[in-house]
Amino acid sequence: MKISFDFDGTLSTEEMQTLCTKCIKYGIEVFVTTSRSKTINKKLVNNDDLYVVTDMLGIPRTNIIFTAFKDKYSFTKKFDLHFDDNFEEIFLINQHQSKCLGFLYEEKHNNEIIDY
């Protein structure tokens, strides 16, 4: 099985990092498919925040796909699942025929009312 995570707003969260760790533990091949660019005008973009997390999780840098702001559905066709916090990306993945299923991730927020 191959799965993919968006980074910003998805794998950048502790909750999804925990899920990713479990997936790797059970032998699932994990990728990151991010809208970020690796280069702009042939100059490297600073993606150190992304690399810190993926290195910590044990995701090989060869498993990081930079879409350069192109729709992800054309990059996720080889995966079984893709997790993303962007509704439009998930909608497009699920609209285009491939084996990949897109899952919308919404970070939990504490909605408890605090009375001061």
Side-chain angles (χ1 to χ4, degrees):
M1 177 177 254
K2 291 182 180 183
I3 66 170
S4 172
F5 291 88
D6 166 52
F7 183 73
D8 295 294
T10 306
L11 195 58
S12 61
T13 69
E14 191 175 314
E15 184 176 44
M16 293 308 277
Q17 290 172 21
T18 300
L19 176 62
C20 179
T21 301
K22 288 179 183 179
C23 291
I24 291 170
K25 178 181 174 182
Y26 290 108
I28 296 171
E29 193 172 2
V30 173
F31 292 78
V32 172
T33 306
T34 178
S35 293
R36 293 182 179 197
S37 292
K38 194 171 188 176
T39 61
I40 294 178
N41 295 328
K42 299 183 183 182
K43 293 181 182 180
L44 285 176
V45 174
N46 184 339
N47 286 300
D48 290 347
D49 60 331
L50 182 147
Y51 293 132
V52 166
V53 172
T54 55
D55 290 348
M56 183 257 313
L57 293 170
I59 299 170
R61 290 189 181 191
T62 55
N63 286 14
I64 301 172
I65 300 163
F66 294 90
T67 71
F69 305 103
K70 295 179 184 157
D71 293 330
K72 292 178 185 170
Y73 72 88
S74 60
F75 296 87
T76 59
K77 293 177 183 178
K78 65 181 178 179
F79 303 126
D80 297 293
L81 304 171
H82 174 74
F83 296 92
D84 206 302
D85 67 326
N86 184 305
F87 174 81
E88 290 180 27
E89 293 286 7
I90 295 302
F91 178 79
L92 289 171
I93 289 168
N94 290 331
Q95 287 295 96
H96 288 82
Q97 250 185 335
S98 76
K99 71 176 187 170
C100 185
L101 295 174
F103 286 89
L104 182 64
Y105 170 70
E106 293 179 321
E107 188 174 7
K108 287 184 180 179
H109 297 282
N110 186 350
N111 293 328
E112 184 177 319
I113 298 173
I114 299 173
D115 188 18
Y116 290 100

